[in-house]
Short mmCIF file of all heavy atoms in Angstrom, two decimals:
data_model
loop_
_atom_site.label_atom_id
_atom_site.label_comp_id
_atom_site.label_asym_id
_atom_site.label_seq_id
_atom_site.Cartn_x
_atom_site.Cartn_y
_atom_site.Cartn_z
N LEU A 131 0.87 12.64 -84.54
CA LEU A 131 1.88 13.14 -85.48
C LEU A 131 2.18 12.09 -86.52
O LEU A 131 2.83 12.52 -87.59
CB LEU A 131 3.06 13.65 -84.74
CG LEU A 131 3.02 14.78 -83.82
CD1 LEU A 131 4.24 15.07 -83.18
CD2 LEU A 131 2.48 15.98 -84.57
N LEU A 132 1.91 10.78 -86.23
CA LEU A 132 2.41 9.79 -87.18
C LEU A 132 1.22 9.39 -88.17
O LEU A 132 1.48 8.52 -89.10
CB LEU A 132 2.89 8.58 -86.40
CG LEU A 132 4.13 8.79 -85.52
CD1 LEU A 132 4.55 7.57 -84.86
CD2 LEU A 132 5.31 9.40 -86.28
N GLN A 133 0.09 10.07 -88.09
CA GLN A 133 -1.06 9.69 -88.88
C GLN A 133 -1.05 10.51 -90.16
O GLN A 133 -1.93 10.30 -90.96
CB GLN A 133 -2.34 9.88 -88.22
CG GLN A 133 -2.41 9.33 -86.84
CD GLN A 133 -2.15 7.83 -86.77
OE1 GLN A 133 -2.68 7.02 -87.54
NE2 GLN A 133 -1.22 7.39 -85.91
N LYS A 134 -0.22 11.38 -90.37
CA LYS A 134 -0.35 12.44 -91.33
C LYS A 134 0.50 12.14 -92.65
O LYS A 134 0.71 13.01 -93.51
CB LYS A 134 0.18 13.86 -90.88
CG LYS A 134 -0.74 14.34 -89.78
CD LYS A 134 -0.18 15.78 -89.44
CE LYS A 134 -0.92 16.28 -88.34
NZ LYS A 134 -0.19 17.44 -87.59
N GLY A 135 1.08 10.93 -92.80
CA GLY A 135 1.93 10.62 -93.85
C GLY A 135 2.60 9.42 -93.66
O GLY A 135 2.33 8.55 -92.90
N ASN A 136 3.80 9.26 -94.41
CA ASN A 136 4.68 8.04 -94.41
C ASN A 136 5.33 8.12 -92.93
O ASN A 136 6.06 9.03 -92.69
CB ASN A 136 5.68 8.12 -95.47
CG ASN A 136 6.59 6.91 -95.42
OD1 ASN A 136 7.58 6.93 -94.62
ND2 ASN A 136 6.34 5.98 -96.32
N ARG A 137 5.14 7.02 -92.21
CA ARG A 137 5.69 7.17 -90.73
C ARG A 137 7.20 7.17 -90.70
O ARG A 137 7.80 7.84 -89.94
CB ARG A 137 5.18 5.78 -90.00
CG ARG A 137 5.37 5.72 -88.57
CD ARG A 137 4.31 4.84 -88.00
NE ARG A 137 4.05 3.58 -88.88
CZ ARG A 137 4.82 2.45 -88.57
NH1 ARG A 137 5.81 2.47 -87.65
NH2 ARG A 137 4.67 1.34 -89.32
N ARG A 138 7.78 6.37 -91.58
CA ARG A 138 9.38 6.45 -91.66
C ARG A 138 9.92 7.86 -92.04
O ARG A 138 10.81 8.35 -91.31
CB ARG A 138 9.89 5.40 -92.67
CG ARG A 138 11.40 5.45 -92.84
CD ARG A 138 11.93 4.45 -93.76
NE ARG A 138 11.93 3.17 -93.12
CZ ARG A 138 12.95 2.75 -92.40
NH1 ARG A 138 14.09 3.44 -92.30
NH2 ARG A 138 12.97 1.59 -91.84
N GLU A 139 9.17 8.49 -92.99
CA GLU A 139 9.65 9.83 -93.39
C GLU A 139 9.40 10.88 -92.21
O GLU A 139 10.22 11.77 -91.97
CB GLU A 139 8.96 10.34 -94.65
CG GLU A 139 9.47 9.66 -95.80
CD GLU A 139 8.59 9.93 -97.09
OE1 GLU A 139 7.77 10.82 -97.00
OE2 GLU A 139 8.81 9.17 -98.16
N ILE A 140 8.14 10.76 -91.65
CA ILE A 140 8.04 11.68 -90.48
C ILE A 140 9.02 11.49 -89.31
O ILE A 140 9.60 12.46 -88.80
CB ILE A 140 6.53 11.42 -89.93
CG1 ILE A 140 5.47 11.77 -91.06
CG2 ILE A 140 6.33 12.24 -88.70
CD1 ILE A 140 4.00 11.27 -90.70
N LEU A 141 9.20 10.24 -89.00
CA LEU A 141 10.18 9.93 -87.85
C LEU A 141 11.57 10.49 -88.31
O LEU A 141 12.24 11.00 -87.35
CB LEU A 141 10.14 8.42 -87.58
CG LEU A 141 8.96 7.96 -86.85
CD1 LEU A 141 8.87 6.39 -86.80
CD2 LEU A 141 8.78 8.46 -85.46
N GLU A 142 11.96 10.14 -89.56
CA GLU A 142 13.27 10.68 -89.93
C GLU A 142 13.36 12.25 -89.90
O GLU A 142 14.45 12.65 -89.30
CB GLU A 142 13.52 10.35 -91.46
CG GLU A 142 14.86 10.28 -91.88
CD GLU A 142 15.04 9.67 -93.23
OE1 GLU A 142 14.04 9.35 -93.99
OE2 GLU A 142 16.16 9.29 -93.55
N GLN A 143 12.39 12.86 -90.15
CA GLN A 143 12.35 14.38 -90.04
C GLN A 143 12.41 14.82 -88.61
O GLN A 143 13.19 15.70 -88.17
CB GLN A 143 11.06 14.82 -90.69
CG GLN A 143 10.87 16.48 -90.56
CD GLN A 143 11.86 17.21 -91.53
OE1 GLN A 143 12.14 16.77 -92.53
NE2 GLN A 143 12.18 18.37 -90.93
N LEU A 144 11.61 14.13 -87.72
CA LEU A 144 11.57 14.37 -86.29
C LEU A 144 12.98 14.17 -85.67
O LEU A 144 13.43 14.97 -84.80
CB LEU A 144 10.44 13.72 -85.60
CG LEU A 144 9.08 14.13 -85.94
CD1 LEU A 144 8.06 13.19 -85.29
CD2 LEU A 144 8.69 15.66 -85.43
N ILE A 145 13.58 13.03 -86.04
CA ILE A 145 14.92 12.73 -85.53
C ILE A 145 15.89 13.94 -85.88
O ILE A 145 16.70 14.37 -85.04
CB ILE A 145 15.49 11.40 -86.18
CG1 ILE A 145 14.84 10.24 -85.39
CG2 ILE A 145 16.97 11.33 -85.90
CD1 ILE A 145 15.12 8.90 -86.03
N GLU A 146 15.78 14.41 -87.11
CA GLU A 146 16.76 15.47 -87.49
C GLU A 146 16.49 16.67 -86.63
O GLU A 146 17.41 17.30 -86.09
CB GLU A 146 16.49 15.73 -88.93
CG GLU A 146 17.67 16.29 -89.66
CD GLU A 146 17.43 16.38 -91.15
OE1 GLU A 146 17.31 15.31 -91.67
OE2 GLU A 146 17.33 17.42 -91.71
N GLU A 147 15.19 16.95 -86.40
CA GLU A 147 14.96 18.27 -85.66
C GLU A 147 15.14 18.08 -84.09
O GLU A 147 15.62 18.96 -83.44
CB GLU A 147 13.43 18.43 -85.66
CG GLU A 147 12.95 19.09 -87.02
CD GLU A 147 11.51 18.99 -87.08
OE1 GLU A 147 10.73 18.84 -86.09
OE2 GLU A 147 10.95 18.92 -88.26
N ARG A 148 14.86 16.91 -83.58
CA ARG A 148 14.92 16.57 -82.14
C ARG A 148 16.16 16.12 -81.52
O ARG A 148 16.46 16.56 -80.36
CB ARG A 148 13.69 15.77 -81.82
CG ARG A 148 12.33 16.39 -82.06
CD ARG A 148 11.26 15.35 -81.68
NE ARG A 148 9.88 15.98 -81.79
CZ ARG A 148 8.78 15.53 -81.50
NH1 ARG A 148 8.85 14.22 -81.03
NH2 ARG A 148 7.61 16.08 -81.56
N HIS A 149 16.86 15.25 -82.24
CA HIS A 149 18.01 14.76 -81.58
C HIS A 149 19.02 15.64 -81.11
O HIS A 149 19.52 15.61 -79.90
CB HIS A 149 18.68 13.62 -82.47
CG HIS A 149 17.96 12.28 -82.45
ND1 HIS A 149 18.63 11.17 -82.77
CD2 HIS A 149 16.77 11.95 -81.93
CE1 HIS A 149 17.84 10.10 -82.63
NE2 HIS A 149 16.61 10.63 -82.12
N PRO A 150 19.31 16.76 -81.86
CA PRO A 150 20.26 17.81 -81.24
C PRO A 150 19.78 18.42 -79.97
O PRO A 150 20.52 18.76 -79.06
CB PRO A 150 20.24 18.82 -82.23
CG PRO A 150 19.94 18.17 -83.61
CD PRO A 150 18.88 17.12 -83.21
N ILE A 151 18.42 18.49 -79.77
CA ILE A 151 17.76 19.13 -78.53
C ILE A 151 17.79 18.04 -77.38
O ILE A 151 18.20 18.31 -76.32
CB ILE A 151 16.43 19.58 -78.72
CG1 ILE A 151 16.36 20.59 -80.00
CG2 ILE A 151 15.77 20.18 -77.58
CD1 ILE A 151 17.02 21.93 -79.65
N TYR A 152 17.46 16.91 -77.79
CA TYR A 152 17.42 15.76 -76.71
C TYR A 152 18.92 15.65 -76.12
O TYR A 152 19.08 15.24 -74.99
CB TYR A 152 17.15 14.39 -77.30
CG TYR A 152 15.64 14.19 -77.83
CD1 TYR A 152 15.30 13.37 -78.88
CD2 TYR A 152 14.57 14.98 -77.19
CE1 TYR A 152 13.99 13.08 -79.24
CE2 TYR A 152 13.28 14.78 -77.67
CZ TYR A 152 13.06 13.79 -78.59
OH TYR A 152 11.72 13.67 -79.12
N ALA A 153 19.84 15.83 -77.01
CA ALA A 153 21.28 15.79 -76.59
C ALA A 153 21.65 16.70 -75.39
O ALA A 153 22.64 16.58 -74.75
CB ALA A 153 22.23 15.99 -77.73
N GLU A 154 20.72 17.74 -75.09
CA GLU A 154 20.88 18.51 -73.93
C GLU A 154 20.59 17.79 -72.74
O GLU A 154 20.87 18.39 -71.54
CB GLU A 154 20.12 19.84 -74.16
CG GLU A 154 20.52 20.69 -75.22
CD GLU A 154 19.67 21.95 -75.41
OE1 GLU A 154 19.12 22.37 -74.49
OE2 GLU A 154 19.62 22.49 -76.56
N ALA A 155 20.03 16.67 -72.65
CA ALA A 155 19.65 15.94 -71.43
C ALA A 155 20.99 15.58 -70.59
O ALA A 155 22.01 15.59 -71.23
CB ALA A 155 18.93 14.73 -71.78
N ASP A 156 20.77 15.48 -69.31
CA ASP A 156 21.99 15.17 -68.54
C ASP A 156 22.65 13.88 -68.98
O ASP A 156 23.97 13.77 -68.88
CB ASP A 156 21.53 15.04 -67.00
CG ASP A 156 21.08 16.42 -66.49
OD1 ASP A 156 21.66 17.30 -66.80
OD2 ASP A 156 19.93 16.30 -65.79
N LEU A 157 21.96 12.88 -69.33
CA LEU A 157 22.42 11.59 -69.55
C LEU A 157 21.90 11.04 -70.90
O LEU A 157 20.75 11.32 -71.25
CB LEU A 157 22.18 10.52 -68.41
CG LEU A 157 22.74 10.99 -66.99
CD1 LEU A 157 22.01 10.17 -65.97
CD2 LEU A 157 24.18 10.70 -67.04
N VAL A 158 22.61 10.13 -71.51
CA VAL A 158 21.97 9.42 -72.65
C VAL A 158 22.19 7.88 -72.61
O VAL A 158 23.18 7.55 -72.08
CB VAL A 158 22.55 10.07 -74.03
CG1 VAL A 158 24.09 9.92 -74.01
CG2 VAL A 158 22.03 9.38 -75.15
N ILE A 159 21.13 7.18 -73.06
CA ILE A 159 21.28 5.78 -72.96
C ILE A 159 20.58 5.26 -74.22
O ILE A 159 19.65 5.74 -74.68
CB ILE A 159 20.57 5.22 -71.70
CG1 ILE A 159 20.71 3.73 -71.59
CG2 ILE A 159 19.18 5.62 -71.64
CD1 ILE A 159 21.72 3.31 -70.67
N GLU A 160 21.37 4.24 -74.82
CA GLU A 160 20.88 3.61 -76.13
C GLU A 160 19.73 2.77 -75.93
O GLU A 160 19.78 1.91 -74.92
CB GLU A 160 22.06 2.91 -76.74
CG GLU A 160 22.09 2.96 -78.25
CD GLU A 160 22.17 4.38 -78.84
OE1 GLU A 160 22.98 5.16 -78.31
OE2 GLU A 160 21.48 4.61 -79.85
N SER A 161 18.63 2.92 -76.59
CA SER A 161 17.58 1.93 -76.52
C SER A 161 17.81 0.91 -77.66
O SER A 161 17.90 1.23 -78.78
CB SER A 161 16.20 2.76 -76.77
OG SER A 161 15.11 1.83 -76.79
N ALA A 162 17.90 -0.33 -77.14
CA ALA A 162 18.41 -1.36 -78.18
C ALA A 162 17.44 -2.47 -78.22
O ALA A 162 16.52 -2.49 -77.32
CB ALA A 162 19.77 -1.92 -77.69
N ARG A 163 17.57 -3.36 -79.17
CA ARG A 163 16.67 -4.55 -79.36
C ARG A 163 17.35 -5.51 -78.33
O ARG A 163 18.11 -6.40 -78.64
CB ARG A 163 16.90 -5.14 -80.73
CG ARG A 163 16.05 -4.26 -81.78
CD ARG A 163 16.17 -4.92 -83.05
NE ARG A 163 15.84 -4.00 -84.20
CZ ARG A 163 14.66 -3.63 -84.62
NH1 ARG A 163 13.63 -4.36 -84.14
NH2 ARG A 163 14.45 -2.82 -85.49
N GLU A 164 16.84 -5.38 -77.10
CA GLU A 164 17.29 -6.31 -75.97
C GLU A 164 16.17 -6.37 -74.92
O GLU A 164 15.25 -5.64 -75.03
CB GLU A 164 18.61 -5.76 -75.37
CG GLU A 164 18.42 -4.43 -74.72
CD GLU A 164 19.68 -3.83 -74.15
OE1 GLU A 164 20.72 -4.47 -74.35
OE2 GLU A 164 19.65 -2.79 -73.48
N LEU A 165 16.37 -7.26 -74.04
CA LEU A 165 15.37 -7.26 -72.96
C LEU A 165 15.36 -5.98 -72.22
O LEU A 165 16.35 -5.33 -71.98
CB LEU A 165 15.69 -8.36 -71.88
CG LEU A 165 15.46 -9.89 -72.41
CD1 LEU A 165 15.93 -10.76 -71.39
CD2 LEU A 165 13.99 -10.07 -72.76
N PRO A 166 14.15 -5.40 -71.91
CA PRO A 166 14.05 -4.15 -71.24
C PRO A 166 14.88 -3.99 -70.07
O PRO A 166 15.43 -2.95 -69.69
CB PRO A 166 12.55 -3.94 -71.03
CG PRO A 166 11.89 -4.75 -71.97
CD PRO A 166 12.84 -5.95 -72.38
N ASP A 167 14.90 -5.24 -69.27
CA ASP A 167 15.56 -5.21 -68.03
C ASP A 167 17.15 -4.87 -68.23
O ASP A 167 17.81 -4.39 -67.36
CB ASP A 167 15.41 -6.37 -67.21
CG ASP A 167 14.08 -6.40 -66.56
OD1 ASP A 167 13.51 -5.29 -66.33
OD2 ASP A 167 13.52 -7.46 -66.12
N LEU A 168 17.62 -5.30 -69.37
CA LEU A 168 19.08 -5.02 -69.68
C LEU A 168 19.25 -3.52 -69.94
O LEU A 168 20.29 -2.88 -69.44
CB LEU A 168 19.50 -5.90 -70.87
CG LEU A 168 19.48 -7.45 -70.71
CD1 LEU A 168 19.96 -8.02 -71.92
CD2 LEU A 168 20.39 -7.68 -69.56
N THR A 169 18.36 -2.90 -70.53
CA THR A 169 18.49 -1.45 -70.83
C THR A 169 18.45 -0.72 -69.41
O THR A 169 19.15 0.18 -69.17
CB THR A 169 17.38 -1.05 -71.72
OG1 THR A 169 17.20 -1.86 -72.85
CG2 THR A 169 17.56 0.47 -72.11
#
Side-chain angles (χ1 to χ4, degrees):
L131 293 182
L132 300 181
Q133 310 304 310
K134 294 181 184 162
N136 178 284
R137 194 153 42 86
R138 172 175 284 272
E139 285 170 14
I140 296 170
L141 286 167
E142 198 167 15
Q143 174 71 37
L144 288 174
I145 283 177
E146 208 167 297
E147 291 165 19
R148 292 178 173 185
H149 276 200
I151 306 290
Y152 293 151
E154 294 179 24
D156 296 314
L157 298 167
V158 54
I159 181 99
E160 212 60 44
S161 179
R163 287 181 200 272
E164 64 185 3
L165 288 174
D167 280 342
L168 296 178
T169 310

